[in-house]
Amino acid sequence: GAGVSQSPSNKVTEKGKDVELRCDPISGHTALYWYRQSLGQGLEFLIYFQGNSAPDKSGLPSDRFSAERTGGSVSTLTIQRTQQEDSAVYLCASSLHPGEYKSYEQYFGPGTRLTVT
Amino acid sequence: AQSVTQLDSQVPVFEEAPVELRCNYSSSVSVYLFWYVQYPNQGLQLLLKYLSGSTLVKGINGFEAEFNKSQTSFHLRKPSVHISDTAEYFCAVSESNTDKLIFGTGTRLQVFP
């Protein structure tokens, strides 16, 4: 079956421009996560959506970063006024509903490589 | 706050030799532990996970890991590696009710013929 898909696969943008990154989770997965993988910081959690609950935004590095999830499915990560330090691979993952005493595997997409020039 | 430490950034090893990739974590609450693998130019794939029960966990591709609560460790092992095991390996921890993952910095396993 279809896995997690992300688009675009590569994005080159100029410093100061806004970018939108898209994630299509696996159908039926209620939990969706964004992570960032960069040379200097490794793999970092950014934001987490679970059903209709308020998202956990505790990992967003600045107020230039925001994300939304429409209809409990597709998610868009937006970075405003991009900076060179935003250059990284942005990974999306989805899973079934996590809960106490139960954990479900997170399935990762291939990522979007963002380069800010 | 939770954290994960992978002390070895690179581990070179010859084919068919055993290997251990070290992982230590810190957390004040119950956690789940994971090992992910990232092959060159590919996404993250789950190798194995510890949720509860037996402290020895077996995963895909012949890998296993042992949860040691007293030493707060979750080291990954394989008795005989193959060239195809060359990849980046990430240890991760999550709290029991959110599943958001906190990753270590990764260990690059390089298997030589």
Side-chain angles (χ1 to χ4, degrees), chain A residues 33 35 37 43-45 48 56 58 91 95 98-106 108-110, chain B residues 32 34 36 38 42-46 49 51 90 94 96-105:
Chain A
Y33 309 80
Y35 297 89
Q37 186 173 23
L43 270 159
E44 307 170 273
F45 163 78
Y48 157 60
D56 177 348
S58 60
L91 297 168
S95 74
E100 197 169 3
Y101 307 123
K102 187 178 286 290
S103 175
Y104 293 103
E105 177 179 353
Q106 290 186 31
F108 282 80
Chain B
Y32 300 137
F34 306 81
Y36 281 83
Q38 188 174 37
Q42 294 187 30
L44 286 165
Q45 181 182 3
L46 181 67
K49 64 183 177 183
L51 305 182
F90 294 93
S94 74
S96 60
N97 62 342
T98 69
D99 276 2
K100 65 182 183 183
L101 296 169
I102 306 299
F103 287 91
T105 50

Side-chain angles (χ1 to χ4, degrees), chain B residues 10-67:
Chain B
Q10 295 188 65
V11 173
V13 64
F14 286 109
E15 195 173 19
E16 297 182 7
V19 71
E20 178 179 84
L21 306 184
R22 296 181 293 169
C23 173
N24 288 86
Y25 70 94
S26 65
S27 177
S28 58
V29 298
S30 296
V31 296
Y32 300 137
L33 295 158
F34 306 81
W35 276 99
Y36 281 83
V37 60
Q38 188 174 37
Y39 297 104
N41 300 315
Q42 294 187 30
L44 286 165
Q45 181 182 3
L46 181 67
L47 268 181
L48 48 79
K49 64 183 177 183
Y50 172 80
L51 305 182
S52 64
S54 173
T55 57
L56 183 63
V57 180
K58 294 189 183 298
I60 62 172
N61 300 340
F63 284 93
E64 63 181 33
E66 185 157 19
F67 170 59

Side-chain angles (χ1 to χ4, degrees), chain A residues 59-101:
Chain A
L60 294 179
S62 79
D63 58 8
R64 295 186 295 103
F65 287 72
S66 63
E68 61 178 21
R69 189 178 184 191
T70 54
S73 181
V74 172
S75 177
T76 302
L77 177 69
T78 301
I79 309 173
Q80 296 178 310
R81 304 180 303 281
T82 52
Q83 304 294 312
Q84 287 187 329
E85 61 262 29
D86 299 335
S87 295
V89 176
Y90 289 81
L91 297 168
C92 176
S94 71
S95 74
L96 293 170
H97 174 75
E100 197 169 3
Y101 307 123

Side-chain angles (χ1 to χ4, degrees), chain A residues 43-59:
Chain A
L43 270 159
E44 307 170 273
F45 163 78
L46 295 178
I47 188 169
Y48 157 60
F49 295 90
Q50 171 50 49
N52 295 321
S53 302
D56 177 348
K57 305 178 182 180
S58 60

